[in-house]
Amino acid sequence: MSIVGTNKWQADFRYISRRLVRQIVEQEAATRTRWSIGSIPTPWGGVGIYKKPIDRENNFALVREATKSVSGITSSLGQGWGDYIRAELDLTLGTIDVHQGWKSQLNVTIAAMKAEVADPEFGRVFVALFGSASNYTGRNPVPNELAEVPSDVDGLYGILDRTREFQDPEIENEFLDRDLRYSPSSRTDFAVRLLNGPRYGGFRSDRFDVLFQSFCIDDSTKPYDLVVLGAPVWIATPGKM
């Protein structure tokens, strides 16, 4: 996909959830007045107070704004579990084709990512992230031709519905209703089995700086001490941000 705007950060973005960053920025704009002092031409002089607009056409500007907006409710892996978590992870990026659950077509490709962390406080931690495959940046991801196509991803449809882009297929209401029945442990257990399956390899594994929204946490999914299930807001190579 193409990314609108100029990236002035010393980081290479591999994934940006356009929907999530816009939601964060819009929520922030609705609760905080964006006033700045600067020079504007007026009949009474050149200095005044004006409302600073958000550059909604620049995805990198939106990412920066969204990151600052949630900084107060963002934790690290070692600090606990907030609404948002930011960490450097050895992350595998991949895709999975899902057969059922869509209103307009049979097979839909979703983004699926995983990481394992040896945390000094929590122990062995598994991070499972899901979102829209259309949000991968740069070159198009290379699908794993050996990957099995699951018939459905019950327990994950709620995340996919909240992260799908406008051009992605809608999810059938039946599958969203079924999703409500799943407990945190059943959701995380399925995510672990799905991403640790024999044919999931992903298309790239590297060290990444990641900001993600946490949806579900469980400490009973073995062999891990903790499993966190979420959706990436953005993923980038480590750099100045």
Side-chain angles (χ1 to χ4, degrees), residues 70-92:
V70 300
S71 60
I73 53 174
T74 299
S75 68
S76 68
L77 289 178
Q79 290 176 333
W81 305 98
D83 293 334
Y84 295 89
I85 297 172
R86 184 172 179 180
E88 283 196 16
L89 301 172
D90 293 319
L91 191 69
T92 298

Side-chain angles (χ1 to χ4, degrees), residues 96-110 131 150-153 156-157 160-161 164 168-173 175:
I96 295 175
D97 289 338
V98 181
H99 181 65
Q100 294 182 342
W102 320 101
K103 288 186 177 181
S104 59
Q105 62 191 81
L106 288 178
N107 292 335
V108 172
T109 301
I110 64 172
S151 59
D152 60 61
V153 284
L156 303 181
Y157 284 110
L160 298 176
D161 185 56
R164 70 177 186 86
D168 295 337
E170 292 185 56
I171 299 172
E172 292 279 4
N173 291 334
F175 287 82

Side-chain angles (χ1 to χ4, degrees), residues 77 81 90 92 113-119 121-129 184-185 187-198 200 216-229:
L77 289 178
W81 305 98
D90 293 319
T92 298
M113 311 152 198
K114 68 174 181 177
E116 290 194 28
V117 178
D119 187 85
E121 180 177 353
F122 295 106
R124 190 180 179 190
V125 180
F126 187 85
V127 179
L129 304 177
S185 61
R187 296 176 195 272
T188 56
D189 179 72
F190 176 75
V192 168
R193 288 188 288 108
L194 182 66
L195 297 181
N196 281 345
Y200 176 82
C216 179
I217 297 169
D218 182 71
D219 60 2
S220 64
T221 303
K222 301 305 177 185
Y224 300 100
D225 298 299
L226 200 67
V227 176
V228 58
L229 180 60

